[in-house]
Amino acid sequence: MSVSVEFMNADTTTIAPVRIAEGGPMLIRATQRLTGVALVFAAFALWLAPGAAWESDVMLFKLILSLTAALAGLGLMQSSAKPNTPKIEIDTIRREVRLVRLVAEGKNIVLQRCGFADLARAEWEGVKVRLWDKNNAPLAEVTLNDRNVMTSLVSGLRAAGKLV
């Protein structure tokens, strides 16, 4: 039996990744976006500069420079977009938890894979199960209202020795 976001009843089940906010990637994306906006603004401002020469060789240089700056700026702004939130897949047959990110039309990449036996610990409280990876970092917090799915997950974690 596999438990996954795609196969569960959306009304009764919530599966969400738990991640600590890391400032590094966010700061890099903000810097990329700011640089991209500055390049696009500079490409347009190049044509508004007062006292600029209008000779043909200077105009060609300004055109090439402004097109390059605008394309580089748009590329930086596009690449600074926030990546898709990873989805949690819990496979009770293979006894593993996977973080999967959708990258293109229907293509997924596995960001992290952790078997039930490799988990550092697991906690079970009512309808919630919290999982930590082998480095003791939060991996997932799963809220399941379907009793059969919860029984399958808890029995798999007990068999791996992560729940008592």
Side-chain angles (χ1 to χ4, degrees):
M1 176 176 175
S2 293
V3 178
S4 177
V5 175
E6 290 79 24
F7 301 111
M8 302 303 290
N9 185 354
D11 297 334
T12 61
T13 305
T14 303
I15 299 178
V18 175
R19 285 287 174 195
I20 297 172
E22 297 175 0
M26 183 178 64
L27 187 61
I28 290 172
R29 284 195 311 270
T31 304
Q32 280 181 332
R33 184 162 291 175
L34 185 65
T35 305
V37 168
L39 282 172
V40 170
F41 180 71
F44 288 116
L46 186 64
W47 293 96
L48 300 175
W54 294 98
E55 290 86 33
S56 61
D57 54 344
V58 175
M59 292 293 287
L60 182 61
F61 179 73
K62 283 173 69 172
L63 178 66
I64 292 172
L65 187 62
S66 64
L67 286 176
T68 304
L71 288 175
L74 290 174
L76 279 172
M77 286 191 297
Q78 190 70 12
S79 70
S80 69
K82 184 178 177 186
N84 294 335
T85 303
K87 295 188 189 246
I88 300 292
E89 292 182 357
I90 299 175
D91 191 347
T92 56
I93 294 174
R94 293 184 183 156
R95 298 188 186 265
E96 69 179 10
V97 180
R98 293 182 295 269
L99 279 176
V100 179
R101 177 173 287 151
L102 178 72
V103 289
E105 301 100 23
K107 293 188 179 183
N108 295 327
I109 58 169
V110 178
L111 299 175
Q112 187 175 0
R113 175 178 284 145
C114 190
F116 285 0
D118 297 332
L119 292 171
R121 62 186 168 135
E123 290 180 2
W124 175 37
E125 296 176 7
V127 295
K128 286 189 178 184
V129 176
R130 290 183 188 91
L131 306 170
W132 283 265
D133 66 1
K134 53 190 161 193
N135 298 326
N136 209 16
L139 181 63
E141 181 176 328
V142 181
T143 303
L144 297 170
N145 294 326
D146 186 359
R147 185 174 299 272
N148 294 331
V149 174
M150 180 60 88
T151 303
S152 177
L153 176 60
V154 168
S155 65
L157 290 170
R158 279 192 178 141
K162 298 305 170 185
L163 285 177
V164 180

